[in-house]
Amino acid sequence: MILMNMRQLTIFLEVCHHMSITKTARSLYLSQPAISKAIKELETEIDTPLFDRINGKIYLNEEGKLFRLKAKELLKDFEELKNFKCTYEDSTPIRVGVSLTIALKTLPLAIKSFKKKYPETPIQLYAENVEQIQKRLLNGDIDIAFTEDFEQNQLFYLEALSTYKMICVGSANSQWQQKSYLKKGELVNQSFLLRERGSTLRDTFDAFVNKEKLTIQPLLESVNTEILINATKHNLGLTILPAPLAQEDLANHELIEITIEDFNAYSTNYIVTLHGKKKSTKLKNLISCFKEFE
């Protein structure tokens, strides 16, 4: 069985251009019998004559004209596939998962920097907690994640990005101006404004109070750190934050740091991909952008 191939289509289109077997053979550096054979095999394969042969000359018939249009489209698509990297790289989206903490501090600056280098590249962003990001990675919904305290296992490749200290803060316009230290036993008498379970901030703080055999029911629980900060500024209670997120409000004297006895916690942020995933040049540039602003 002879199967239609790109060589036959290329020869066919060249014949259509010259309307001469001799000129086509000369332009493709092939013999005339090779050209004639390729055309005959192509017509046999599709069971349709493409040329009328009259008095030693060839003329493209109606079927041939339609086939020529289709062949041009196919060869164009084939060339695009051969040059897929150059043709489609800019239009291939990068899907990124970002923990809420990094989303607040670093994400806008990193993405702005990346878009200067790759303005045509679509980006899909998901700002979620660690558990949700892990699920997206496993499901293939995202290509890379920038997140804190990710549990390492054989499915993921982790690269350290940065480290944050976790601190407790309260409103600067409150009693904490006079007392900025809490003993562990005093925690149960305070109102806490905390992130949801499954977030690093919440899980770290819960681990600390559980170790001390304390029970704390937060006054406010939210996936939105900005809501917690705003509620803290209005003196609804205390919250736990990564130090970088509190810096500006501490400097502006809207928040004050509260030292908790024996609470000395840090959060490590990671660049996470599925193990074995090859990092493209664009992905490496995206990582550089996040490193620059972390």
Side-chain angles (χ1 to χ4, degrees):
M1 178 184 292
I2 300 171
L3 297 178
M4 182 169 55
N5 56 54
M6 294 302 161
R7 177 179 179 275
Q8 291 172 341
L9 294 181
T10 301
I11 291 174
F12 166 73
L13 290 175
E14 194 71 10
V15 173
C16 290
H17 175 70
H18 293 289
M19 279 301 159
S20 166
I21 298 295
T22 302
K23 290 181 180 178
T24 300
R26 191 180 302 130
S27 69
L28 294 179
Y29 301 99
L30 294 172
S31 67
Q32 292 184 43
I35 300 297
S36 297
K37 181 182 178 184
I39 296 299
K40 185 63 177 176
E41 288 176 346
L42 180 60
E43 291 177 320
T44 299
E45 177 65 25
I46 64 173
D47 193 26
T48 302
L50 300 171
F51 296 95
D52 293 330
R53 294 158 176 87
I54 304 172
N55 297 327
K57 294 184 179 181
I58 57 173
Y59 300 89
L60 197 63
N61 59 30
E62 292 304 314
E63 289 81 0
K65 291 176 183 177
L66 180 59
F67 191 83
R68 182 184 189 183
L69 291 175
K70 296 295 184 181
K72 278 185 174 181
E73 292 176 4
L74 181 58
L75 284 181
K76 180 183 177 183
D77 290 342
F78 181 72
E79 286 301 315
E80 287 184 353
L81 285 175
K82 284 203 303 183
N83 298 287
F84 181 83
K85 181 173 171 30
C86 297
T87 306
Y88 293 106
E89 186 178 27
D90 283 344
S91 60
T92 302
I94 291 183
R95 304 164 302 165
V96 185
V98 187
S99 66
L100 296 173
T101 298
I102 296 176
L104 281 171
K105 174 182 176 288
T106 306
L107 178 65
L109 297 172
I111 296 301
K112 185 177 180 180
S113 177
F114 178 79
K115 292 297 284 184
K116 286 181 180 178
K117 299 176 184 178
Y118 298 96
E120 302 302 320
T121 297
I123 301 179
Q124 298 171 3
L125 300 169
Y126 301 90
E128 299 169 314
N129 67 32
V130 178
E131 287 184 355
Q132 292 167 320
I133 288 173
Q134 180 170 313
K135 287 179 181 178
R136 286 196 183 275
L137 276 169
L138 289 173
N139 291 336
D141 296 332
I142 56 177
D143 304 303
I144 192 168
F146 300 88
T147 185
E148 70 262 17
D149 286 342
F150 203 91
E151 184 179 349
Q152 188 166 9
N153 61 49
Q154 61 182 1
L155 295 174
F156 302 106
Y157 174 78
L158 275 63
E159 178 185 348
L161 177 64
S162 59
T163 300
Y164 296 159
K165 182 182 180 182
M166 296 185 191
I167 62 175
C168 177
V169 295
S171 172
N173 300 315
S174 66
Q175 74 273 19
W176 302 114
Q177 286 283 10
Q178 285 72 44
K179 181 185 178 182
S180 58
Y181 181 86
L182 276 174
K183 291 185 178 181
K184 289 178 283 189
E186 296 177 296
L187 295 178
V188 295
N189 299 320
Q190 308 302 321
S191 295
F192 276 94
L193 321 170
L194 300 175
R195 282 282 303 277
E196 79 288 359
R197 286 189 173 89
S199 67
T200 299
L201 287 170
R202 176 63 177 277
D203 291 349
T204 301
F205 186 66
D206 281 355
F208 172 74
V209 297
N210 290 338
K211 181 181 177 182
E212 301 301 327
K213 296 181 172 56
L214 302 173
T215 300
I216 292 179
Q217 178 63 42
L219 172 68
L220 172 63
E221 184 176 294
S222 177
V223 299
N224 190 316
T225 307
E226 287 186 325
I227 289 176
L228 299 177
I229 293 174
N230 188 54
T232 304
K233 288 179 182 179
H234 285 81
N235 200 26
L236 292 186
L238 306 178
T239 194
I240 308 297
L241 293 176
L245 290 189
Q247 283 178 351
E248 184 176 345
D249 291 319
L250 291 171
N252 292 335
H253 305 292
E254 293 187 82
L255 295 177
I256 188 169
E257 183 175 353
I258 314 298
T259 301
I260 298 175
E261 180 186 7
D262 292 341
F263 183 67
N264 189 30
Y266 289 84
S267 171
T268 301
N269 300 306
Y270 295 99
I271 304 158
V272 188
T273 54
L274 284 176
H275 196 78
K277 179 178 176 61
K278 184 179 178 181
K279 294 184 179 70
S280 65
T281 300
K282 282 197 297 185
L283 215 54
K284 290 177 181 177
N285 271 287
L286 180 67
I287 290 171
S288 297
C289 292
F290 273 85
K291 286 182 174 179
E292 179 183 356
F293 295 103
E294 260 296 303

